[in-house]
Amino acid sequence: MAETTHQHLRKFQEATKDKGRLLICCPDQPGIVAAVSNFLFQNGANIMESSQYTTDAYEGTFFLRIEFDCPGLQGKEEEMKSKFQAVAENFNMQWDMKFVYQLKRTAIFVSKQLHCLRELLWEWQSGDLVTDIAVVVSNHEDARDLVESFGIPFHHIPANKDIRKEAEKKQLELLEDYNIDQIVLARYMQILTPDFVAAYPSQIINIHHSFLPAFIGANPYGRAYERGVKLIGATSHYVTNDLDEGPIIEQDIMRVDHRDNAEDLKKIGRKVERSVLARGVKWDLEDRILVHQNKTIVFN
């Protein structure tokens, strides 16, 4: 099973060895797109996909995502970045140039509920979630057999509010050992400390089992049932120090009615959670998300 998945990844890397992505955020002004396009042209690149957005045509913030193909790109990454620096300084850009064949390394954190983890592993195995899932970390043993059946390392690190700092120290050491780029909280039921969040800014994706900002905190389905809600939702978002208030990536809903009890709402909610988390993770892996203040611009 693991060998087949790794074959998917190797084929993807070979097919994308000449592909790059350019992400830009800067004050809006005329000439940005022309300057970027001209830079890519001068360096032998062809634009494959381009998306842009401005908050205001005169005094706004401009966002741009470009995917390009450049023969011989592999091996001249630093040269391309160095050359682009002059363009970036001219427009006061915050920018990043990604190289598609360089797969992100993902760590998944999970507790006892495994539905979101199963969805991510299925998407990964089928080739729809293109990343190197390097490790799964849990404060329980429940997921071990599932994870190891995929050939992925599993680490059990007990964690609760009384030993949170000690647990996070071990977790951070593990993440550094595995050279992790992205962390996915697939129903990991522990609050992260500010120090942990600061170590991975805009790199930790959480799934919240309600349609934020409604029903934040614990037991959202019980409170939703008490309120007689007609829609069940889920929200994937980046983690910040403000609990459940980080930049929202994706949301979705399913309709319910008075015949559904609290347990029914949980089952329905899990379906939404799985898809909302998987989409959010996929868009992050494809560099389709730009975080600005406490919002996201998602070019999907």
Side-chain angles (χ1 to χ4, degrees):
M1 183 183 297
E3 182 59 31
T4 301
T5 304
H6 292 149
Q7 288 173 356
H8 285 322
L9 297 180
R10 285 195 292 269
K11 287 180 180 178
F12 175 84
Q13 288 178 301
E14 178 61 27
T16 59
K17 63 183 180 182
D18 292 332
K19 289 184 170 57
R21 297 173 184 142
L22 191 53
L23 306 174
I24 293 169
C25 170
C26 63
D28 199 3
Q29 59 180 293
I32 299 171
V33 175
V36 174
S37 300
N38 185 61
F39 166 82
L40 292 173
F41 171 73
Q42 293 294 333
N43 285 275
N46 184 35
I47 294 174
M48 309 293 291
E49 182 181 331
S50 180
S51 302
Q52 64 191 66
Y53 168 72
T54 183
T55 58
D56 184 87
Y58 298 98
E59 298 181 351
T61 302
F62 181 78
F63 304 90
L64 176 65
R65 177 190 184 272
I66 287 180
E67 191 158 326
F68 61 88
D69 185 274
C70 181
L73 179 63
Q74 192 173 29
K76 63 176 186 179
E77 297 94 340
E78 293 308 314
E79 178 187 354
M80 287 283 284
K81 287 183 176 181
S82 178
K83 287 181 177 179
F84 189 73
Q85 187 62 39
V87 179
E89 290 175 356
N90 193 38
F91 290 93
N92 193 26
M93 292 177 179
Q94 297 177 33
W95 64 282
D96 198 1
M97 190 178 292
K98 308 279 191 176
F99 305 100
V100 180
Y101 77 92
Q102 295 178 347
L103 298 181
K104 290 183 181 178
R105 291 175 60 79
T106 297
I108 301 176
F109 280 44
V110 66
S111 290
K112 287 189 172 185
Q113 297 187 44
L114 307 185
H115 55 285
C116 286
L117 172 65
R118 292 181 189 276
E119 182 75 15
L120 294 173
L121 293 176
W122 167 249
E123 293 281 324
W124 178 72
Q125 184 190 31
S126 64
D128 292 329
L129 205 65
V130 185
T131 183
D132 182 358
I133 299 181
V135 63
V136 173
V137 181
S138 181
N139 55 329
H140 299 281
E141 286 280 1
D142 300 57
R144 180 181 292 278
D145 290 345
L146 171 65
V147 172
E148 292 182 345
S149 73
F150 282 83
I152 299 170
F154 177 88
H155 288 263
H156 173 223
I157 300 178
N160 57 56
K161 64 181 180 180
D162 298 322
I163 58 170
R164 184 162 290 145
K165 286 192 175 182
E166 297 92 324
E168 286 192 349
K169 183 176 183 295
K170 294 177 182 178
Q171 290 167 350
L172 288 170
E173 290 172 352
L174 193 66
L175 296 174
E176 186 175 351
D177 289 342
Y178 279 99
N179 194 26
I180 294 300
D181 302 299
Q182 178 200 68
I183 301 169
V184 181
L185 306 183
R187 295 305 305 273
Y188 180 66
M189 307 307 289
Q190 293 291 316
I191 296 173
L192 303 180
T193 67
D195 288 342
F196 191 102
V197 174
Y200 290 90
S202 299
Q203 294 169 273
I204 308 172
I205 299 176
N206 185 41
I207 182 67
H208 186 79
H209 42 301
S210 75
F211 196 73
L212 292 174
F215 304 119
I216 64 173
N219 193 27
Y221 293 120
R223 288 181 292 126
Y225 174 69
E226 291 170 1
R227 290 292 305 274
V229 302
K230 307 306 177 191
L231 295 170
I232 283 293
T235 303
S236 60
H237 65 94
Y238 289 113
V239 175
T240 64
N241 289 329
D242 296 320
L243 182 63
D244 296 333
E245 294 188 14
I248 290 172
I249 301 170
E250 171 65 336
Q251 296 181 292
D252 206 350
I253 55 173
M254 291 186 73
R255 185 163 290 280
V256 297
D257 64 28
H258 60 276
R259 290 179 287 261
D260 296 310
N261 59 33
E263 191 59 33
D264 294 329
L265 299 188
K266 285 184 181 180
K267 292 178 181 178
I268 296 168
R270 288 179 187 137
K271 295 179 183 179
V272 190
E273 291 166 26
R274 297 200 307 264
S275 60
V276 167
L277 179 60
R279 287 199 296 271
V281 171
K282 184 177 182 180
W283 295 339
D284 183 89
L285 291 171
E286 294 176 351
D287 304 309
R288 296 188 177 276
I289 308 170
L290 287 166
V291 177
H292 179 61
Q293 296 172 355
N294 202 47
K295 293 183 179 180
T296 59
I297 290 81
V298 183
F299 292 121
N300 54 21

